[in-house]
Amino acid sequence: MNRLILKYGRPLTAVVLAVFAWVVYRRIASGDGIIPLSIAAVIVWGLGAPAFIYLWPRLTVSGYKRAIVKHGFGDGPIPVNTLYAVPGTSSPSASRGSLMATGADDLLYVGGWLDLSKGPQVLHVPDMAGRYFSVQFTDPSKSANFAYVGKRTTGTKTGDYVLSAPGWKGTVPNGMTQISSPTDSALVIGRVLVESDSDLPVAYALAKQIQLAPLKQ
């Protein structure tokens, strides 16, 4: 849907404006005036704009959840609390209709859906030895990123992060860092830099080590 809006936004807007202009013209031609129509337009705009602003981010991220859990990134469904590393850069993935197809030729993507309703999950990242990588967490209720793990925020050494739901009062094991999610669910997207074609196997091996596991394990 987002791609359709971005691609056809201007033609759709032109069509809507043309239809509205035709309605205004017909009302003027029939002698009914446009004041009732203007009042209706103001009411619709006043109600529709806030509803769109509130609902659209949730619908967008929820669409990602359905696509991830049911279809995955081109190789089948991805269970909740499981991360999948796309084996190639995103341009080859685009030909397979991958959700991770963004046009970047130097990144491997990792993705999945996080559900903390049954307890915390632990995100493990391997030692990246200075390589750029990032893992972002997106709140589906606001479509806003609330936390990052990666070179620019936590460094590139191996690490384990306890991802907890709101109000969780458990104990964080020694050596782990807690990340509190504002909701029970989150969209997880990771990126790992690929320096060259010959570097792809190494980068993919590292991307596959970015994993989730229940805290009790």
Side-chain angles (χ1 to χ4, degrees), residues 10 123 159:
R10 291 184 180 181
L123 172 74

Side-chain angles (χ1 to χ4, degrees), residues 59-173:
L59 293 174
T60 301
V61 181
S62 295
Y64 266 97
K65 177 184 179 181
R66 290 192 298 272
I68 289 171
V69 174
K70 292 185 178 181
H71 304 290
F73 302 141
D75 293 322
I78 301 173
V80 171
N81 293 333
T82 302
L83 297 182
Y84 172 79
V86 179
T89 53
S90 61
S91 288
S93 298
S95 63
R96 300 195 301 269
S98 171
L99 291 173
M100 294 291 122
T102 63
D105 292 323
D106 59 351
L107 292 174
L108 288 179
Y109 281 83
V110 179
W113 190 264
L114 183 67
D115 183 356
L116 303 172
S117 60
K118 296 182 180 179
Q121 292 281 319
V122 175
L123 172 74
H124 172 76
V125 296
D127 187 350
M128 293 289 181
R131 180 189 300 266
Y132 171 82
F133 85 101
S134 69
V135 182
Q136 74 180 48
F137 301 90
T138 302
D139 176 4
S141 67
K142 298 180 180 179
S143 193
N145 301 331
F146 63 87
Y148 285 90
V149 171
K151 182 175 182 178
R152 296 175 180 172
T153 53
T154 58
T156 62
K157 293 183 179 180
T158 185
D160 294 286
Y161 302 84
V162 177
L163 309 171
S164 60
W168 182 70
K169 302 299 184 181
T171 301
V172 178

Side-chain angles (χ1 to χ4, degrees), residues 6-18:
L6 291 173
K7 185 175 182 180
Y8 301 109
R10 291 184 180 181
L12 288 174
T13 301
V15 170
V16 172
L17 291 176

